[in-house]
Amino acid sequence: MTNGIYDAAIIGGGPAGSTAATLLARAGRRVIVIEREKFPRFHIGESLLPFTMKAFDRLGVREKLDRTFLPKHGGEIVSACGSRGVKFYFKDGFRAQRDRSYQVTRSEFDQLLLQHSRENGAEVREETTVKNIAMGEDRVRLDIETLDGATMAIECRYLLDCSGRQTMVGNFLQLKQSYDHLQKFSVFSHFENVDRAPGIDGTLIFMVRGLDRWFWMIPLTATRMSIGVVMDTVTFRAMKLSPEAALEKCIGEQPIILERMKRAERVAPVYSAGDYSYRNASLFGDRWLLAGDAAGFIDPVFSSGVFLAIMSAEKAADALDQILRDESLKPRLFRSYARRVNKAMDMYLTFVSSWYSGKEFTEVFLNPTNMLQIAPAVNAVLAGNAGASFAIKWRMWLFYFFVRAQRFFAFSPRLSLVPQKVTEPTPETATAIF
């Protein structure tokens, strides 16, 4: 049977899906969210960026988030060899507008946003799977199945795919394209009683850059920490270890991490994810849009995942709301949407590719300079400033010039990025003038 026609159907109830659902429902649109899992459920991607805060204000969830999650004031990156380190604070970014974001337990964060969609009038169906998609001339038909095996069909004027890495429409239309140079593998878990700095420094994401891998430490609560390591997929396979054994081995080989974990206790399973960087060749069709990870995902090193998800969902919802009023606007608005989202992903792809291209990025980054306000511009990008500001663009061009030139001329001190054989104190880190 067919249960009427919706203005928009959204596949996926993560941050992108719930953001779009809330905005469309608030605009008076009939919207349904189809989520295959039951929330709360574990998810990685726990460190947010300040440029999402404006969207949270618009959604009306800031007070809920403030009550629930730890603030995040910036980050700290150190070299695995222990000789260099910098802290950056969002308040010092180029023309900074926000000084913080959140460190979140994603199971709670995603559930909060999805419940907020319900409260704002969106219909949400969890534990429901899309079995088939049929694109029509003036509508889209979805065949769906609930956990108990019941099936039905729904129709919508527009389909918004927010299905994450499942990227249902992208796979259905064979649009998904992986980045061969970013075939990475990560293993991670949650730990209690990991040592951290006092004050706001205890809210920073802490990263250790090694020669062939990097570690994250994300404080989630006053006592809980997310810890993980990222390496090339081929490196992980060569270990011939389970994810649990690989994480234990990698932590044991990195004194800077190990020093902070003397009292630590693992309180969650060890999870893993691999080969996760990709983009779809097209982000829209006549009756559909892709948003969030369903559009594309760039490596998690700079915490851009949730930012891109919420940004793209907000833009998609605004476009759909206008098109539902006047369909003649569709060609222009869909093209504009794709350009905006692709431009943001391009910016992070350049940043991430430079991070992985060699030691030079780390050497330059860990030797910050306020010359021409280059360091504050880098800080702004780390905060999620993915706009078209020429003032940031040309400063980033200079940053990448120094990174490339570092290969031939040592503008910044050379680093081995190889851990010391014996346990040493965490390096004394310099506060960057970001």
Side-chain angles (χ1 to χ4, degrees):
M1 60 176 287
T2 301
N3 189 30
I5 186 165
Y6 293 88
D7 291 316
I10 299 172
I11 305 176
S18 55
T19 295
T22 296
L23 294 176
L24 286 168
R26 283 187 161 191
R29 303 301 176 185
R30 186 174 184 231
V31 57
I32 182 172
V33 179
I34 303 162
E35 167 56 50
R36 64 176 179 170
E37 297 188 63
K38 176 67 177 175
F39 283 25
R41 47 73 171 121
F42 180 86
H43 206 283
I44 199 63
E46 299 145 325
S47 196
L48 309 189
L49 303 183
F51 266 67
T52 57
M53 300 296 271
K54 187 175 181 180
F56 293 147
D57 286 334
R58 183 182 177 191
L59 291 169
V61 295
R62 273 291 301 278
E63 289 187 4
K64 295 178 182 178
L65 297 174
D66 285 342
R67 290 195 303 265
T68 308
F69 300 113
L70 201 68
K72 172 188 175 184
H73 292 272
E76 181 177 4
I77 302 180
V78 303
S79 61
C81 53
S83 59
R84 305 288 293 186
V86 297
K87 295 175 184 175
F88 60 90
Y89 300 97
F90 295 134
K91 66 180 179 61
D92 299 323
F94 187 81
R95 298 175 183 172
Q97 298 177 2
R98 308 276 180 167
D99 68 347
R100 70 190 66 187
S101 60
Y102 302 103
Q103 310 280 27
V104 302
T105 302
R106 279 292 300 276
S107 57
E108 298 175 18
F109 175 75
D110 291 3
Q111 185 179 33
L112 185 153
L113 291 185
L114 190 60
Q115 180 59 31
H116 190 70
S117 297
R118 284 191 178 97
E119 294 167 1
N120 280 272
E123 181 180 341
V124 177
R125 299 193 186 187
E126 296 179 78
E127 297 181 295
T128 302
T129 304
V130 176
K131 306 301 289 186
N132 187 56
I133 302 172
M135 304 289 183
E137 186 175 328
D138 64 348
R139 64 189 61 194
V140 179
R141 175 189 169 106
L142 302 178
D143 295 322
I144 62 176
E145 182 178 350
T146 61
L147 188 64
D148 61 7
T151 61
M152 67 176 296
I154 64 170
E155 292 183 336
C156 58
R157 294 177 66 184
Y158 288 96
L159 174 65
L160 180 57
D161 185 2
C162 300
S163 60
R165 292 182 61 197
Q166 188 184 13
T167 185
M168 283 204 64
V169 172
N171 284 326
F172 179 71
L173 298 177
Q174 298 182 326
L175 300 172
K176 192 173 181 179
Q177 300 175 337
S178 297
Y179 292 111
D180 291 338
H181 69 295
L182 293 177
Q183 298 305 293
K184 306 296 178 181
F185 197 91
S186 60
V187 290
F188 44 89
S189 189
H190 289 174
F191 297 80
E192 287 282 340
N193 302 318
V194 179
D195 291 340
R196 65 182 76 181
I200 66 169
D201 284 1
T203 75
L204 307 182
I205 181 173
F206 181 77
M207 298 164 60
V208 178
R209 182 65 164 98
L211 189 62
D212 65 347
R213 67 198 62 179
W214 63 271
F215 296 82
W216 78 71
M217 303 182 79
I218 301 172
L220 301 177
T221 70
T223 60
R224 182 163 296 198
M225 187 89 69
S226 171
I227 299 176
V229 59
V230 176
M231 67 196 81
D232 287 341
T233 300
V234 293
T235 301
F236 173 77
R237 289 174 178 166
M239 288 182 177
K240 297 181 179 179
L241 296 172
S242 67
E244 182 175 310
L247 181 60
E248 183 178 358
K249 180 177 188 295
C250 290
I251 290 174
E253 292 174 346
Q254 178 46 258
I256 296 172
I257 300 290
L258 197 60
E259 179 68 18
R260 296 184 173 213
M261 298 184 67
K262 290 179 177 178
R263 302 181 300 110
E265 176 187 358
R266 182 164 63 82
V267 292
V270 174
Y271 297 90
S272 63
D275 299 341
Y276 36 62
S277 294
Y278 59 88
R279 196 184 314 191
N280 283 289
S282 178
L283 303 188
F284 69 91
D286 187 53
R287 289 280 156 187
W288 54 267
L289 285 172
L290 309 182
D293 290 358
F297 182 74
I298 310 301
D299 191 276
V301 60
F302 296 118
S303 305
S304 61
V306 174
F307 161 70
L308 290 172
I310 290 176
M311 181 275 290
S312 60
E314 188 177 14
K315 301 296 183 186
D318 288 345
L320 288 175
D321 182 47
Q322 293 182 65
I323 292 164
L324 286 163
R325 289 196 300 268
D326 182 356
E327 290 217 343
S328 69
L329 299 173
K330 179 167 58 176
R332 177 177 63 83
L333 291 178
F334 274 14
R335 287 195 299 269
S336 176
Y337 168 78
R339 282 195 302 270
R340 178 69 181 86
V341 175
N342 275 315
K343 185 179 293 184
M345 285 196 286
D346 284 343
M347 184 196 73
Y348 280 105
L349 179 62
T350 300
F351 210 34
V352 167
S353 297
S354 183
W355 166 268
Y356 284 118
S357 64
K359 296 189 295 181
E360 293 79 21
F361 180 101
T362 306
E363 290 168 346
V364 173
F365 186 91
L366 296 186
N367 189 43
T369 174
N370 204 31
M371 181 183 66
L372 300 176
Q373 292 188 289
I374 295 175
V378 175
N379 189 342
V381 173
L382 290 170
N385 190 335
S389 167
F390 182 72
I392 290 179
K393 278 185 176 180
W394 72 260
R395 288 174 169 87
M396 290 304 298
W397 291 337
L398 275 178
F399 173 76
Y400 292 128
F401 167 78
F402 285 119
V403 170
R404 290 191 293 271
Q406 176 72 9
R407 185 167 300 178
F408 308 102
F409 306 99
F411 293 108
S412 301
R414 300 291 189 189
L415 300 171
S416 71
L417 302 185
V418 177
Q420 300 295 317
K421 295 296 183 182
V422 295
T423 302
E424 295 183 351
T426 301
E428 183 177 340
T429 57
T431 299
I433 43 176
F434 280 22

